[in-house]
Amino acid sequence: VTHDGADALATGDIVAVMYNGRIIQTGSPREVYERPVNSVAAELTGECGVLRGAVRNGKAEFASFGKFPADGFEEGELVEAAVRPARIVLTKGENATVADCVLSGERYRITLNTACGTLTAYGSEPLAAGSTTGVKITEQLRPMHAAENEQTRQNNFQGQDK
């Protein structure tokens, strides 16, 4: 048992992610890290940003990041996608605004505001707060049920027990 997500991922064969006294996800360390069930599980297992979108015409739409398969989601449902800093490349575009840039050892930790959420990236050069930059995500976004939707489901489930 550990409260350190990185330690759990490094040493466990099977990881259980707990939140508010409940197990919200179990699986191999890689599965839990790469395919979190929601933003809470994603944030508990490592640094990430969360993009918010909605399902339209069977696709999860995340503003300037595009449309992605949304099998198992309802039309109009709010969805989220976790994005790890290692999956972000800064480009010459203008789909993000630099909120903060702090030297963190050998690199800069850059906080970026986008049309659908806040992301964290790392870079070798500082970027001025308020400046714009491009963000490319190097993997297909995987929609997750929004944490708000998960809380509603939990509340409804608990109500059925009475």
Side-chain angles (χ1 to χ4, degrees), residues 20 75 98 109 111 124 143:
N20 283 342
E75 185 69 18
V98 177
R109 182 180 190 274
T111 304
S124 58

Side-chain angles (χ1 to χ4, degrees), residues 76-95:
E77 184 175 350
L78 298 178
V79 292
E80 297 176 329
V83 182
R84 305 286 183 189
R87 303 290 186 244
I88 296 172
V89 175
L90 300 177
T91 67
K92 298 245 186 237
E94 296 185 354
N95 62 342

Side-chain angles (χ1 to χ4, degrees), residues 84-156:
R84 305 286 183 189
R87 303 290 186 244
I88 296 172
V89 175
L90 300 177
T91 67
K92 298 245 186 237
E94 296 185 354
N95 62 342
T97 302
V98 177
D100 194 27
C101 182
V102 178
L103 183 61
S104 178
E106 297 177 357
R107 58 191 181 168
Y108 290 88
R109 182 180 190 274
I110 305 163
T111 304
L112 304 157
N113 291 329
T114 74
C116 54
T118 300
L119 298 174
T120 299
Y122 287 95
S124 58
E125 298 293 325
L127 297 177
S131 66
T132 57
T133 188
V135 171
K136 178 181 178 189
I137 299 171
T138 62
E139 67 181 0
Q140 179 171 310
L141 295 178
R142 293 184 190 101
M144 308 176 292
H145 294 285
E148 294 83 14
N149 294 352
E150 287 296 317
Q151 186 60 51
T152 300
R153 277 197 230 344
Q154 288 293 331
N155 291 342
N156 290 341

Side-chain angles (χ1 to χ4, degrees), residues 2 4-13 15 28-30 33 45:
T2 181
D4 183 331
D7 185 45
L9 295 173
T11 60
D13 293 325
V15 176
S28 71
R30 185 175 186 158
Y33 184 79
T45 56

